[in-house]
């Protein structure tokens, strides 16, 4: 199992959190997505390591950005 942490900008409420969780959750192998709205920290648990590009694309799909 792998855990990666990202900072996502632009989330303002529970709906934003749910959107990010939903899109990241669609990535193959993702088993859990934990979002802290206040800090924008997103912790992703997956069966195998994910590429940052896949996570960034999912966050973008939800309408937000991964801070670099
Ligand atoms: Cu929102």
């Amino acid at each position: 199992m792998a855990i990666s942490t990202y900072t996502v900008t632009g989330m303002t409420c529970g709906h934003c959190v749910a959107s990010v969780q939903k899109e990241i959750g669609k990535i193959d192998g993702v088993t859990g997505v934990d979002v802290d709205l206040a800090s924008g920290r997103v912790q992703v648990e997956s069966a195998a390591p994910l590429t940052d590009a896949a996570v960034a694309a999912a966050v973008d799909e939800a309408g937000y950005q991964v801070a670099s």
Side-chain angles (χ1 to χ4, degrees):
M1 193 181 80
I3 295 180
S4 348
T5 305
Y6 301 88
T7 300
V8 172
T9 58
M11 297 187 295
T12 56
C13 73
H15 274 120
C16 303
V17 170
S19 300
V20 168
Q21 285 179 318
K22 183 178 165 207
E23 291 302 328
I24 293 177
K26 288 180 185 173
I27 301 170
D28 259 6
V30 169
T31 53
V33 184
D34 191 64
V35 178
D36 181 64
L37 177 59
S39 65
R41 276 168 64 88
V42 176
Q43 189 168 285
V44 184
E45 278 183 27
S46 54
L50 301 172
T51 65
D52 289 349
V55 174
V59 169
D60 185 70
E61 184 67 26
Y64 310 96
Q65 285 87 43
V66 173
S68 52

